[in-house]
Amino acid sequence: MTEERFTELLGKKLSGEINAEELAEFSKLISSNEAYRKEYESLVMYWQQDEKPYDRIADIFEGIKSRTDIPEREAKASVQVRRMKSQFSLVQKIAAVLFIFIVSAGIYKVFSGKFSDKVETEWKQLETPSRLLSSLHLPDGTKVTLNSGSVLKYPVAFKGNNREVFLTGEAYFEVTSDHKHPFIVHTDKMNIRVLGTAFNVKSYMSDRTEEATLIRGSIQVTFPDNPNEKVLLKPTDKIVLKDSNYHLEKQSYYNQQDSSIMEILWMTNKLAFRNETFETIANQLSRKYGVKIVFTNNGLRDLKFTGEFEKETLNQALFSLQLVTPFRYRIKGNNVYLY
């Protein structure tokens, strides 16, 4: 029981959600147990790493758009977060995460167990069509914002030990804290387990990758195909899963002039991409404009672009991309053919 309590308090301390009484209890535990103290010190070293600023790469695309007939866009408020300053290498980050689970035997006890309680549950489903966003509050008060083309399955009332939902598409979660009833998001390839936090999940069937980005708090990611593999994310971490392989990254910012987080810009009706393939951008354009995009020339799929669209029409968006790298397109009804 002591190990489980230490792990719970450790998670709260690292994510900044610990109160004064819990902090006193935590301090007593690490002062009386050398193993706990060393484990905490090791995790703090990982938790406090900063991220290097990235090079500016969006300015050229903005210049391209200025050559079209696209009007000036109104400034919109966006979610602000503290910009990080330096970055672990990928190998270091993965090694640090693996170290967490080697030295924290208690984490397994706290987070392991069945994800589905054997309790009869009545389910509801919210579907968001293309071109639209939607939001709802779940029975526990958790707020969910759904991107276009997304489906969320959730219970009429949470019962049992866990609060579970199922997502296809993309959603931003602001989870109501309840340490006795962990919140779990199931996607096709990931299970994301939290107590109280804010994070974004992207899991479209048409995309090659799935990803989860942690904004604040902490989350644990497991995989249905490999339930013994567990990855703990700290704020600003992003896990990207392709096929059966995953890697860790940092959340990204569109440019150096603001702190707009690219992973959640969709919540302000913006479509932002940085060094993304044309295939990935085409999927995003399909959802934003409610069209089907067909590559008649497969060689176009791997072209890469950086840019941002908000109020542009579909024609304006495609024309802007066309000025960066030549290609041809034809719009026929609800279909867009690229060649």
Side-chain angles (χ1 to χ4, degrees):
M1 183 63 186
T2 302
E3 284 190 359
E4 293 181 2
R5 181 58 175 167
F6 168 71
T7 303
E8 179 182 356
L9 293 174
L10 176 62
K12 289 184 177 182
K13 181 69 169 66
L14 293 175
S15 62
E17 297 179 351
I18 194 167
N19 60 37
E21 183 179 348
E22 291 169 332
L23 180 58
E25 182 183 355
F26 179 75
S27 299
K28 184 177 179 180
L29 282 173
I30 62 174
S31 63
S32 61
N33 188 307
E34 185 178 358
Y36 289 165
R37 178 180 59 78
K38 290 183 177 179
E39 181 176 345
Y40 170 61
E41 291 173 351
S42 298
L43 292 180
V44 166
M45 291 178 62
Y46 168 65
W47 211 260
Q48 292 179 344
Q49 295 302 314
D50 293 330
E51 180 182 13
K52 290 188 288 191
Y54 59 84
D55 295 332
R56 295 176 58 187
I57 61 173
D59 294 342
I60 295 177
F61 187 76
E62 290 304 312
I64 289 291
K65 290 204 294 182
S66 69
R67 294 166 54 190
T68 72
D69 60 347
I70 299 171
E72 289 291 328
R73 297 192 301 275
E74 297 175 359
K76 284 191 175 183
S78 59
V79 178
Q80 303 291 315
V81 298
R82 179 173 63 89
R83 191 184 299 275
M84 309 301 283
K85 296 178 182 176
S86 68
Q87 183 178 12
F88 266 168
S89 71
L90 175 60
V91 174
Q92 287 173 308
K93 286 186 281 188
I94 293 177
V97 174
L98 292 176
F99 176 78
I100 290 172
F101 291 101
I102 292 173
V103 299
S104 286
I107 289 180
Y108 178 82
K109 296 180 181 179
V110 173
F111 286 109
S112 64
K114 295 181 179 179
F115 282 133
S116 299
D117 300 313
K118 296 180 180 179
V119 179
E120 185 175 349
T121 303
E122 181 181 354
W123 294 88
K124 298 180 70 175
Q125 184 166 290
L126 176 64
E127 299 185 29
T128 306
S130 298
R131 309 179 67 176
L132 297 177
L133 306 180
S134 61
S135 62
L136 78 158
H137 284 85
L138 298 178
D140 65 337
T142 291
K143 183 179 179 180
V144 184
T145 304
L146 279 180
N147 202 351
S148 58
S150 301
V151 179
L152 182 72
K153 181 181 177 183
Y154 61 97
V156 173
F158 288 116
K159 301 177 181 179
N161 296 326
N162 298 321
R163 297 172 288 164
E164 300 182 74
V165 299
F166 295 82
L167 172 69
T168 300
E170 184 167 21
Y172 180 77
F173 295 85
E174 294 180 87
V175 179
T176 298
S177 181
D178 182 351
H179 293 279
K180 294 182 179 179
H181 301 90
F183 190 93
I184 303 169
V185 180
H186 299 284
T187 71
D188 182 45
K189 297 179 180 178
M190 293 189 293
N191 299 311
I192 301 161
R193 187 180 182 93
V194 305
L195 295 175
T197 189
F199 60 99
N200 191 77
V201 181
K202 186 177 181 182
S203 177
Y204 285 104
M205 299 299 291
S206 57
D207 290 353
R208 291 185 182 182
T209 61
E210 286 194 14
E211 61 184 53
T213 305
L214 180 60
I215 306 302
R216 63 176 184 269
S218 70
I219 60 176
Q220 179 191 250
V221 178
T222 59
F223 312 97
D225 294 340
N226 187 9
N228 292 324
E229 183 82 13
K230 299 177 175 66
V231 182
L232 182 67
L233 272 65
K234 67 173 185 175
T236 76
D237 277 349
K238 176 169 73 172
I239 185 170
V240 180
L241 180 66
K242 183 177 181 180
D243 299 325
S244 299
N245 302 311
Y246 73 86
H247 65 273
L248 294 177
E249 300 177 1
K250 286 293 182 183
Q251 69 185 25
S252 50
Y253 302 93
Y254 181 65
N255 58 45
Q256 294 179 331
Q257 283 69 48
D258 59 43
S259 299
S260 300
I261 304 172
M262 287 190 62
E263 286 79 8
I264 57 176
L265 275 179
W266 62 267
M267 295 175 65
T268 61
N269 286 304
K270 292 182 181 180
L271 190 164
F273 42 94
R274 185 153 57 86
N275 202 33
E276 291 282 2
T277 65
F278 203 177
E279 181 178 28
T280 299
I281 297 168
N283 289 337
Q284 296 174 349
L285 291 171
S286 295
R287 296 187 284 264
K288 181 176 177 63
Y289 296 104
V291 297
K292 180 180 179 181
I293 297 181
V294 180
F295 285 89
T296 61
N297 177 359
N298 285 326
L300 298 176
R301 293 178 182 271
D302 294 325
L303 296 177
K304 292 190 175 182
F305 298 89
T306 293
E308 175 187 352
F309 297 126
E310 183 178 354
K311 293 184 177 180
E312 291 79 3
T313 65
L314 177 59
N315 259 316
Q316 290 171 337
L318 291 171
F319 183 50
S320 296
L321 296 174
Q322 196 178 45
L323 290 177
V324 177
T325 300
F327 65 90
R328 299 172 67 186
Y329 69 91
R330 178 166 56 93
I331 300 176
K332 185 175 181 180
N334 202 45
N335 295 324
V336 179
Y337 298 92
L338 305 177
Y339 55 97

